[in-house]
Structures are given as C-alpha cells and as structure tokens.
C-alpha cells in the first residue's frame, strides 16, 4: 500500500464552546487572507500587520467549526497566535491529534483537490488509526515535498519565512490564497495596495540548486537538487517560471 499520511502536518480545531453563539467562520474571516465563508477547503495565510507571511495553512470545514491543516512544527505557535486574537470570544482553539492529513498525487478518488493548484493532487483528513500499518511507515512527506517543489509551489515557514515575505510575493494570487472582496483581515491594507498598484517586485521560486543565489536562498534541498529563492521579478528567467506563473492559467485550481 502506498503511504498517504503527511506526518509533517498537524490539524488545529477551532470550535464554538457548548451553548455559544460565536461564529468560528466570522472569527477566522477577520484574520486570514482567504474567504473562509465560501467553499472549503481554501489555502490561507495569517500575516503581520505589514502583510508579511507568518503562517500558511489549508482551512477545512468541520461542522460548526473549522480545521486548519498546518505545519506540525509551528502548530503550537499558530494556536498561540490565534488565541491572542480570540480575546473573550467563546471559541476553543487546540490541536486535534486524533486526526491526520493525507495526500496523493492524483485527483478523482473522492478527496478534495488541493485548493492551490489542481496539479498538486488531492488531500483528505482521516481519523488516526493506531492499528493501521501505515502508522508505522515513514509516510508520504518526502514524496509530497518532491512533488510539490516539482510543481514550483512553496509553503511553510522554512520557505515563506517568518514575517519576512510579503504575502503576494508568496504567489498568493496565482495559488488562490487571497481574496480582494471579502473585507478586512490582518495585513489587508498593504496586500490590497500591492495588488491594485501591481507592485509585486519579488517572488518565491523553486530553482535548481546549482543556479541558486545564496544571498536570495530561503531553503535548500540537496537530495532533490533544488532550492527556494526570493528573487526580483526581472531576474526570474522564463525557464524558472512554473506553468501557473505564465500567461497560460489553465492549470490553476
């Protein structure tokens, strides 16, 4: 059986407390870049007030609540950050270690296509089953990383940075990670201004490691011969452009 579980991912559950009338959707809608009041899942970012990426995650429906599919390494930090914004709202925010994220490189088997890019395959959430042989396997993390980078898609703190990269420089428009019609969120003003003025001067791109600029490098993957660089747009040659950054947008989700 081909491994599908992503052990490097964790799930955070946002749920209203019993007898509460608080809306989890309204709470998150005012914080993140994507429109979580529409069809889910969506890819979203939680930004600094200046519009720079702190966390990225995929938002899933969960009854009256929501689930955030995020990096396991930063899950606790994301819980803490969201709790800071919660104030007195009757909403619980915590990791749900009873659930796991799964991925496969094709679509059509009933799971959800990756909301960023159809070519990234499909994901789903399932209960952790300690009796499942896959739980003892390495999982699909290495396969997912190689597949994702081959598509030119970046994610996570190591690649996007920790409050270092403007959200639109993370290719958020092209990968369906931002809404310009849903209203305010943290970092919205600068993000919207960049869009209307077409001022995306730099982008994150996946490049061959041999052509990576150490001064512009965010992450390196020697085993794959690849790196993620933060380059000026004019320095991105056509052969480094993934298909979804070209004029042909037919591959977008």
């Amino acid at each position: 059986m081909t491994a599908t579980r992503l052990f490097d991912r964790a799930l955070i559950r946002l749920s209203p407390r019993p007898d509460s009338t608080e809306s989890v959707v309204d709470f998150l809608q005012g914080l993140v870049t994507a429109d979580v009041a529409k069809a889910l899942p969506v890819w979203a970012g939680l930004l600094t007030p200046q519009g720079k990426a702190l966390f990225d995650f995929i938002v899933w429906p969960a009854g009256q609540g929501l689930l955030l599919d995020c990096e396991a390494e930063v899950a606790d930090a994301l819980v803490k950050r969201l709790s800071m914004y919660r104030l007195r709202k009757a909403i619980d925010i915590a990791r749900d270690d009873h659930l796991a994220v799964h991925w496969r490189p094709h679509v059509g088997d009933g799971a959800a296509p990756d909301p960023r890019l159809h070519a990234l395959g499909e994901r789903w959430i399932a209960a952790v089953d300690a009796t499942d042989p896959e739980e003892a396997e390495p999982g699909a993390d290495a396969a997912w990383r190689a597949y994702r980078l081959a598509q030119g898609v970046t994610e996570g703190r190591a690649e996007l940075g920790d409050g270092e990269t403007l959200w639109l420089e993370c290719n958020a428009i092209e990968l369906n990670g931002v809404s310009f019609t849903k209203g305010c969120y943290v970092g919205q003003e600068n993000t919207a201004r960049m869009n209307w003025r077409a001022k995306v001067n730099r982008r994150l791109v996946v490049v061959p490691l041999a052509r990576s600029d150490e001064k512009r490098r965010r992450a390196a993957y020697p085993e794959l011969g690849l790196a993620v660089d933060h380059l000026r747009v004019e320095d991105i040659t056509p052969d480094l452009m993934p298909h979804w950054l070209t004029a042909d947008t037919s591959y977008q989700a």
Side-chain angles (χ1 to χ4, degrees):
M1 181 177 66
T2 302
T4 61
R5 181 173 174 184
L6 299 178
F7 286 90
D8 289 344
R9 306 294 291 184
L11 287 152
I12 295 172
R13 183 180 293 276
L14 285 72
S15 55
R17 292 173 186 160
D19 303 321
S20 168
T21 59
E22 295 282 3
S23 168
V24 171
V25 170
D26 289 349
F27 166 68
L28 198 65
Q29 183 81 321
L31 295 178
V32 304
T33 60
D35 192 340
V36 300
K38 293 185 177 179
L40 299 178
V42 294
W43 182 54
L46 182 61
L47 313 181
T48 69
Q50 295 76 34
K52 297 183 178 182
L54 287 173
F55 304 93
D56 74 303
F57 39 81
I58 294 176
V59 184
W60 295 82
Q64 296 300 308
L66 296 168
L67 288 169
L68 308 186
D69 163 0
C70 68
E71 284 185 283
E73 283 188 359
V74 304
D76 292 339
L78 179 52
V79 169
K80 183 177 180 180
R81 188 80 178 192
L82 291 170
S83 298
M84 179 182 74
Y85 288 115
R86 178 177 54 191
L87 302 176
R88 296 181 180 273
K89 292 182 174 66
I91 294 173
D92 289 324
I93 305 171
R95 288 179 63 144
D96 189 336
D97 293 326
H98 297 97
L99 298 174
V101 179
H102 293 258
W103 164 82
R104 55 182 161 236
H106 61 270
V107 297
D109 285 346
D114 193 295
R116 291 166 288 189
L117 198 69
H118 193 270
L120 286 177
E122 61 185 13
R123 302 167 81 94
W124 69 99
I125 295 171
V128 173
D129 181 358
T131 66
D132 188 338
E134 185 179 346
E135 298 304 316
E137 297 295 324
D141 297 284
W144 161 245
R145 183 182 303 109
Y147 192 86
R148 171 177 62 79
L149 291 170
Q151 299 297 327
V153 176
T154 57
E155 70 176 15
R157 182 164 285 183
E159 297 170 13
L160 307 189
D162 182 5
E164 302 165 64
T165 314
L166 292 162
W167 187 235
L168 298 193
E169 294 177 351
C170 301
N171 305 307
I173 295 175
E174 295 77 13
L175 295 174
N176 308 305
V178 62
S179 169
F180 295 108
T181 60
K182 78 181 189 73
C184 294
Y185 53 87
V186 179
Q188 180 265 343
E189 184 176 355
N190 199 32
T191 303
R193 184 185 301 114
M194 286 182 64
N195 179 59
W196 302 134
R197 295 181 179 178
K199 286 289 186 180
V200 182
N201 297 321
R202 294 177 176 83
R203 289 187 182 275
L204 290 174
V205 289
V206 179
V207 303
L209 184 57
R211 294 174 58 185
S212 174
D213 181 346
E214 287 189 28
K215 295 180 180 178
R216 300 293 180 185
R217 186 182 299 161
R218 284 292 173 77
Y221 302 96
E223 72 281 8
L224 300 174
L226 297 172
V228 174
D229 285 9
H230 187 217
L231 300 178
R232 291 184 178 276
V233 170
E234 59 266 28
D235 294 334
I236 304 174
T237 57
D239 62 313
L240 295 180
M241 284 274 197
H243 53 69
W244 45 267
L245 264 180
T246 67
D248 180 5
T249 59
S250 61
Y251 292 93
Q252 286 188 289

